Amino acid sequence: KFFVASQKITYLLVFLYACHPATLMWPKIIMTESFALTGVVFLLYFVVKYIVTRKNKFAWYINLSILILVLLRPVFMILLPLALIAWILLILKNKRRELSGIISMTLVLVLVLLYGFGFYKQYGVFTLSTVSDVNQYMMLRDAKLISTKEITNASLQRELTDTIKTTKDDSYYFDEYIYFYKKYGYPTTHEFVKASLKQNLTGYINYTIKRSFDESTSSNVGFWHGL
């Protein structure tokens, strides 16, 4: 209601949120999905409250919501630079008025960086979790975009080359990645996923767009073959 003047459009958006297949189906597959969707609703609510009241507590709530979303789903990392730029622009416009926003966002960035360094210390890769590599491997595999030419580990190169010759249902690709991850270690598997993504970026983007559209219009949104 705050952002859209038309009551009909507002109703349509709420109806879409309540009944969209992706909203209904994904939470039963990935536990954090439901929390992330709810978190986005609260984030938008706090943004509106801050715009209306300009109270410092809502600036803290906004950035706390972003931190929780990032920890739930690393894909929300994109919100960190966007929020930081927004707070900087507000400070330039309103001087000291938005300091609580930039201070709390700086704290969020420090916490995320510390978590990333902790992950690097334990697993050898600076990231928040392995989930991005798992997802990217599954999509690269399904799109037939896995590249093995740059892999220096001869055993992994040979085994992966043989594996990708067989097309399977994409629900099996999760188990494939976990197998390679456990056998060759996370830094090694991370590097070949990153190399495949870099070499086939255009194909990956096109596939992702198509996949997103397909899964947003289907009532059968993914499954694990073990369930």
Side-chain angles (χ1 to χ4, degrees):
K1 287 183 177 180
F2 180 83
F3 289 108
V4 182
S6 170
Q7 188 173 358
K8 291 181 179 179
I9 294 177
T10 302
Y11 177 82
L12 179 63
L13 291 172
V14 174
F15 181 82
L16 183 66
Y17 172 77
C19 301
H20 195 283
T23 307
L24 293 170
M25 301 297 290
W26 275 111
K28 79 180 182 68
I29 303 166
I30 306 173
M31 187 179 359
T32 56
E33 197 78 20
S34 180
F35 292 115
L37 286 167
T38 304
V40 169
V41 174
F42 274 99
L43 173 62
L44 292 174
Y45 172 77
F46 293 139
V47 168
V48 170
K49 292 293 288 185
Y50 183 77
I51 292 172
V52 173
T53 67
R54 278 297 197 272
K55 290 184 178 179
N56 289 336
K57 66 177 182 179
F58 291 115
W60 284 86
Y61 292 162
I62 289 170
N63 293 329
L64 177 61
S65 298
I66 292 175
L67 175 62
I68 292 172
L69 286 171
V70 169
L71 295 178
L72 282 170
R73 307 283 303 202
V75 70
F76 284 111
M77 284 283 290
I78 193 173
L79 292 177
L80 295 176
L82 292 177
L84 184 62
I85 291 170
W87 289 120
I88 291 173
L89 291 175
L90 286 171
I91 284 179
L92 293 175
K93 182 179 179 180
N94 300 315
K95 305 302 180 185
R96 294 172 56 88
R97 194 172 181 180
E98 320 295 340
L99 279 178
S100 58
I102 197 71
I103 290 172
S104 55
M105 176 48 63
T106 301
L107 180 60
V108 167
L109 289 171
V110 169
L111 290 174
V112 171
L113 287 172
L114 287 174
Y115 188 92
F117 279 118
F119 199 97
Y120 176 79
K121 186 177 180 180
Q122 185 169 354
Y123 298 103
V125 178
F126 185 81
T127 184
L128 298 184
S129 78
T130 62
V131 68
S132 296
D133 288 287
V134 174
N135 290 337
Q136 286 170 359
Y137 174 83
M138 292 174 68
M139 289 190 284
L140 286 165
R141 178 80 163 86
D142 191 47
K144 298 179 175 59
L145 296 175
I146 296 290
S147 176
T148 61
K149 294 179 180 179
E150 303 298 322
I151 298 175
T152 56
N153 186 309
S155 176
L156 173 59
Q157 185 185 52
R158 183 171 55 254
E159 192 168 5
L160 184 59
T161 300
D162 291 339
T163 298
I164 62 177
K165 289 178 181 178
T166 304
T167 300
K168 302 177 183 177
D169 187 276
D170 60 3
S171 62
Y172 287 85
Y173 298 150
F174 175 86
D175 296 326
E176 277 185 12
Y177 180 82
I178 297 302
Y179 166 78
F180 291 122
Y181 165 84
K182 290 181 177 179
K183 184 172 182 178
Y184 296 99
Y186 183 43
T188 302
T189 53
H190 172 74
E191 285 303 318
F192 88 69
V193 169
K194 186 170 70 173
S196 295
L197 184 62
K198 183 179 180 181
Q199 293 173 26
N200 301 287
L201 184 58
T202 302
Y204 179 81
I205 292 173
N206 291 335
Y207 170 83
T208 303
I209 293 172
K210 182 180 181 302
R211 181 184 175 92
S212 298
F213 178 79
D214 291 343
E215 293 189 355
S216 296
T217 55
S218 171
S219 60
N220 182 24
V221 186
F223 65 94
W224 301 127
H225 67 274
L227 296 179

